[in-house]
Amino acid sequence: MTTANNEIVFITSKTITLDEPIKRGDSLITEITLRKPKAGELRGVSLVELGQMNVAALQQVLPRITTPILTTQDVANLDVADLVEIGAEVSLFLVKKADRTAFQRT
């Protein structure tokens, strides 16, 4: 994303409103905030699989970078449209700053 001065804006977190809220106990999770992962939070995960939005890779990484924290079971129960949106945002976090403008959505 760029500003009016064509400066690149670096996004380190993204809030996503879920189409299908997650029911946890008596409460509903309607929004999830994703935080750009640090290298250590990607341990044990193939970056290629994460970039390809592999469900198993997302199940491993999302509990480390979401607020509220999603469990592996929460990720498994996400609506497919929500999972795709979340996976796309995680994939964008893996792209170099200089290349992000080609992929940024508003």
Side-chain angles (χ1 to χ4, degrees):
M1 179 183 302
T2 59
T3 64
N5 298 332
N6 287 332
E7 298 170 346
I8 298 174
V9 176
F10 304 112
I11 298 173
T12 58
S13 68
K14 175 75 175 184
T15 299
I16 294 174
T17 301
L18 300 174
D19 280 346
E20 297 291 327
I22 299 169
K23 185 164 174 67
R24 187 182 285 166
D26 292 334
S27 63
L28 285 178
I29 299 171
T30 58
E31 286 187 341
I32 295 172
T33 301
L34 300 170
R35 182 181 41 75
K36 182 179 178 180
K38 301 288 185 186
E41 292 165 320
L42 300 175
R43 68 188 174 283
V45 178
S46 165
L47 295 180
V48 172
E49 289 180 355
L50 193 57
Q52 292 173 338
M53 301 188 308
N54 176 284
V55 175
L58 289 169
Q59 283 179 314
Q60 224 174 333
V61 171
L62 289 177
R64 302 172 187 174
I65 65 168
T66 54
T67 304
I69 296 171
L70 295 183
T71 65
T72 302
Q73 192 62 38
D74 290 334
V75 177
N77 290 327
L78 280 171
D79 179 75
V80 175
D82 290 329
L83 181 63
V84 169
E85 183 177 7
I86 290 168
E89 293 299 334
V90 171
S91 295
L92 276 176
F93 287 143
L94 304 178
V95 177
K96 289 184 68 159
K97 291 176 186 178
D99 298 330
R100 283 189 198 147
T101 55
F103 298 102
Q104 286 294 329
R105 299 180 304 164
T106 55

